[in-house]
């Protein structure tokens, strides 16, 4: 039986809890797979993770750890290449992005409306974003900052999950001049990524430019500058050679 994310989440919850049943279809499938068993305690019944369930949890934990390690290794590769391209790089930033809000609902019938009152602008919708790699040019000219976000994906499931929830990706666009998806080679085709994003394919020994990222005018707001000031940037690399992702730095006027 193919188990999805809700099954693994429920199995972990039952492992950490007293195992009181919800009696839904997720538990039915976990019971049928032999990962849970029912225990009667008088008039009540609770659930217990079986030995097979413990082994499945351990296997899932090992798989997640390997995926996380692969993700962090690729993040490090991208950060290093950006530094070699003459950029200042941050990892693990927590930023707030303002996205366009919803329009105000129309007034109900019979409500008095002041014709001269200006239309109320929709409130922005604030989204917390944690880009894998955030970088900008090492320059003294604001127009040359060229703020970039690189989002790293090493598994297809993680990529599809993000594409199904576009608010996170839209926040990255709002925080940068250009935004990239860096994909482990083989997990997706470039045309599966929305055209607002550039695409880099990560092979074992090199990064392949599959599609350049569109550039937009952008200046970081005050909140972003404060976040950058509070969070240490990546230390400079030992090898200062020009990297794969870079391009020659323009001279400041």
């Amino acid at each position: 039986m193919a188990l999805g994310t809700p099954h693994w989440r429920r199995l972990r919850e039952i492992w950490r809890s007293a195992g009181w049943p919800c009696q839904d279809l997720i538990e039915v499938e976990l019971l049928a797979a032999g990962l849970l068993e029912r225990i009667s305690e008088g008039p009540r019944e609770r659930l217990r993770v079986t030995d097979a369930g413990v082994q499945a949890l351990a296997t899932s934990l090992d798989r997640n750890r390997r995926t996380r390690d692969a993700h962090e290794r690729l993040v490090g590769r991208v950060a290093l290449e950006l530094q070699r391209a003459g950029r200042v790089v941050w990892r693990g930033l927590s930023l707030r992005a303002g996205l366009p809000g919803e329009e105000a609902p129309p007034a109900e019938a019979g409500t008095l409306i002041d014709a001269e009152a200006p239309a109320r602008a929709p409130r922005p919708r604030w989204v917390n974003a944690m880009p894998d790699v955030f970088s900008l040019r090492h320059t003294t000219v604001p127009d040359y900052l060229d703020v970039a976000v690189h989002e790293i994906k090493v598994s297809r499931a993680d990529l599809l999950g993000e594409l199904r929830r576009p608010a996170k990706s839209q926040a990255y666009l709002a925080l940068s001049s250009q935004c990239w998806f860096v994909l482990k080679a083989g997990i997706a085709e470039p045309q599966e990524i929305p055209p607002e994003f550039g695409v880099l394919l990560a092979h074992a020994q090199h990064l392949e430019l599959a599609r350049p990222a569109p550039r937009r005018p952008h200046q970081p707001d005050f909140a972003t500058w404060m976040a950058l000031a509070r969070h240490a940037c990546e230390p400079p690399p030992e090898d200062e050679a020009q990297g794969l992702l870079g391009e020659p730095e323009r001279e400041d006027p």
Side-chain angles (χ1 to χ4, degrees):
M1 181 181 299
L3 302 181
T5 300
H7 297 87
W8 295 114
R9 184 182 299 117
R10 181 67 59 80
L11 198 61
R12 290 192 296 269
E13 290 172 354
I14 293 174
W15 172 256
R16 292 192 297 260
S17 69
W20 301 119
C22 296
Q23 295 185 329
D24 58 7
L25 294 180
I26 292 178
E27 287 180 359
V28 169
E29 292 175 330
L30 290 172
L31 287 165
L35 304 181
L36 294 178
E37 64 180 357
R38 293 179 290 180
I39 299 176
S40 298
E41 296 179 341
R44 294 184 176 182
E45 183 180 85
R46 67 184 182 91
L47 299 174
R48 187 178 77 88
V49 179
T50 63
D51 291 344
V54 172
Q55 182 60 45
L57 281 175
T59 302
S60 173
L61 177 63
D62 182 62
R63 182 172 60 248
N64 291 341
R65 185 179 291 118
R66 290 198 305 269
T67 300
R68 186 165 56 250
D69 291 345
H71 177 271
E72 290 305 308
R73 286 195 299 271
L74 185 51
V75 169
R77 283 179 59 190
V78 172
L80 179 61
E81 294 292 351
L82 290 169
Q83 286 180 301
R84 290 174 174 171
R87 301 179 68 88
V88 186
V89 176
W90 286 263
R91 294 168 57 177
L93 279 176
S94 180
L95 304 172
R96 277 183 81 200
L99 302 183
E102 298 180 355
E103 296 289 342
E108 297 180 359
T111 303
L112 294 177
I113 301 176
D114 186 355
E116 297 182 357
R120 186 171 57 181
R123 293 182 177 179
R125 180 164 52 100
W126 293 99
V127 176
N128 291 325
M130 295 185 66
D132 288 324
V133 183
F134 183 95
S135 69
L136 48 82
R137 284 177 180 269
H138 189 187
T139 179
T140 58
V141 182
D143 291 340
Y144 292 173
L145 284 174
D146 193 25
V147 180
V149 165
H150 288 73
E151 183 67 1
I152 313 301
K153 297 298 176 187
V154 297
S155 75
R156 183 170 179 82
D158 186 22
L159 172 65
L160 295 180
E162 180 156 325
L163 294 179
R164 284 194 293 266
R165 297 186 296 272
K168 182 179 176 183
S169 299
Q170 292 302 315
Y172 294 151
L173 290 172
L175 290 167
S176 64
S177 305
Q178 53 172 310
C179 192
W180 299 79
F181 273 99
V182 184
L183 310 177
K184 179 182 177 182
I187 69 169
E189 297 297 326
Q191 57 267 27
E192 297 181 67
I193 306 302
E196 298 87 358
F197 302 88
V199 181
L200 289 165
L201 301 179
H203 300 275
Q205 301 298 329
H206 69 284
L207 299 173
E208 175 190 353
L209 176 61
R211 187 176 71 206
R215 280 184 165 86
R216 304 170 304 280
H218 175 78
Q219 290 291 334
D221 58 15
F222 181 75
T224 299
W225 283 121
M226 288 299 297
L228 297 180
R230 291 193 303 267
H231 196 103
C233 64
E234 289 291 291
E238 296 180 3
D239 179 11
E240 296 291 344
Q242 186 78 357
L244 175 70
L245 297 180
E247 57 188 50
E249 177 75 18
R250 286 178 287 185
E251 293 293 334
D252 295 345

